[in-house]
Amino acid sequence: MDKYENIETVKRLDFDHLDMLVSERIEALKLLAQGMTERQVNDDICRDLILPCVYTLTQFLESVEIEEKHFGVEK
């Protein structure tokens, strides 16, 4: 087993494809949310799909903080 197995796994990730898939699904959620009318089925969709997804994205955003100095740029 490699000493830095996790690093090697991360290096093999296809972030461009992941970015495309995530962006595609966020756009679909946005379109779904923007077209909602006040009906029970739509309220259920908000409760069961949209709000949990937005919560997960919020957790991701809070977990991954980007500081410019990490990219060779100092403020």
Side-chain angles (χ1 to χ4, degrees), residues 11-38:
K11 285 182 178 181
R12 289 190 303 272
L13 293 174
D14 185 350
F15 281 102
D16 290 332
H17 189 242
L18 183 61
D19 178 36
M20 186 262 316
L21 292 173
V22 170
S23 296
E24 193 175 75
R25 280 152 179 85
I26 289 173
E27 183 68 20
L29 274 181
K30 180 178 98 174
L31 292 173
L32 178 64
Q34 289 174 339
M36 293 242 164
T37 57
E38 293 183 7

